[in-house]
Amino acid sequence: MDTLLWILIFLGTFVAMEGMAWFTHKYIMHGILWKLHKDHHHKDHSSWWERNDLFFVFYAAVSITFFLLWQYNGFWAGLPLGLGILAYGITYFTVHDIFIHQRFKIFRNANHWYAKGVRRAHKMHHKHLGKNHGECFGMLFVPFRYFKK
């Protein structure tokens, strides 16, 4: 196995997951599975757990499946694919759940231009409480206008 190819698959998977997250968020979460995502926009519960968290569980299962394919079926690309999805999931959880939504009270004072832009974009997304007319469905790559003061 070529190390460069392994690294490219890992990095490509990580970047592709942003596109997958955008697509899933716009067309699945704000579409056919709005019922699962709705509680993320309307806090109608007192639980730390949201039905929306099932999307995280789904992608974790996809990542685990690639690890199992690598481990038990000899599918060598399963390892970088699984790790790429896992790395994106950890990044998404850190940015979205910890930094933006403060599910854990850390990173409250992040003052970096990138952090401010991502937070602004997500705030604009949550301005729309219904499943229609949303904006900014991505997480890590948001439109440049949100980085302007």
Side-chain angles (χ1 to χ4, degrees):
M1 172 186 58
D2 184 31
T3 304
L4 179 60
L5 181 58
W6 193 97
I7 292 169
L8 289 174
I9 291 171
F10 169 80
L11 293 174
T13 301
F14 183 90
V15 171
M17 283 303 297
E18 175 70 3
M20 193 62 154
W22 177 89
F23 178 86
T24 303
H25 193 180
K26 183 168 181 152
Y27 295 108
I28 307 296
M29 293 178 182
H30 281 258
I32 194 167
L33 292 180
W34 171 250
K35 185 172 181 143
L36 294 178
H37 185 60
K38 182 180 179 182
D39 70 338
H40 183 63
H41 285 264
H42 299 276
K43 299 292 183 203
D44 61 354
H45 55 84
S46 60
S47 173
W48 184 81
W49 173 264
E50 298 176 349
R51 289 180 302 276
N52 182 66
D53 294 330
L54 289 172
F55 293 104
F56 183 80
V57 172
F58 169 77
Y59 282 112
V62 172
S63 179
I64 290 166
T65 299
F66 279 117
F67 289 134
L68 293 173
L69 287 171
W70 165 70
Q71 181 69 37
Y72 295 108
N73 291 18
F75 178 55
W76 69 267
L79 182 59
L81 287 165
L83 286 173
I85 295 168
L86 173 64
Y88 186 82
I90 291 168
T91 304
Y92 189 98
F93 181 78
T94 302
V95 171
H96 182 263
D97 292 282
I98 296 176
F99 172 66
I100 292 173
H101 287 289
Q102 290 291 303
R103 281 177 116 170
F104 300 99
K105 307 300 182 199
I106 56 176
F107 303 131
R108 290 181 146 191
N109 300 322
N111 221 7
H112 189 269
W113 65 270
Y114 176 77
K116 287 179 180 180
V118 168
R119 188 176 270 157
R120 260 187 226 112
H122 202 74
K123 187 174 187 175
M124 290 306 294
H125 175 74
H126 278 272
K127 178 178 93 170
H128 305 280
L129 297 178
K131 78 181 218 177
N132 299 319
H133 309 296
E135 60 183 282
C136 288
F137 293 95
M139 176 52 50
L140 301 177
F141 307 122
V142 299
F144 288 114
R145 69 178 178 265
Y146 296 106
F147 296 110
K148 297 176 184 174
K149 291 186 178 192

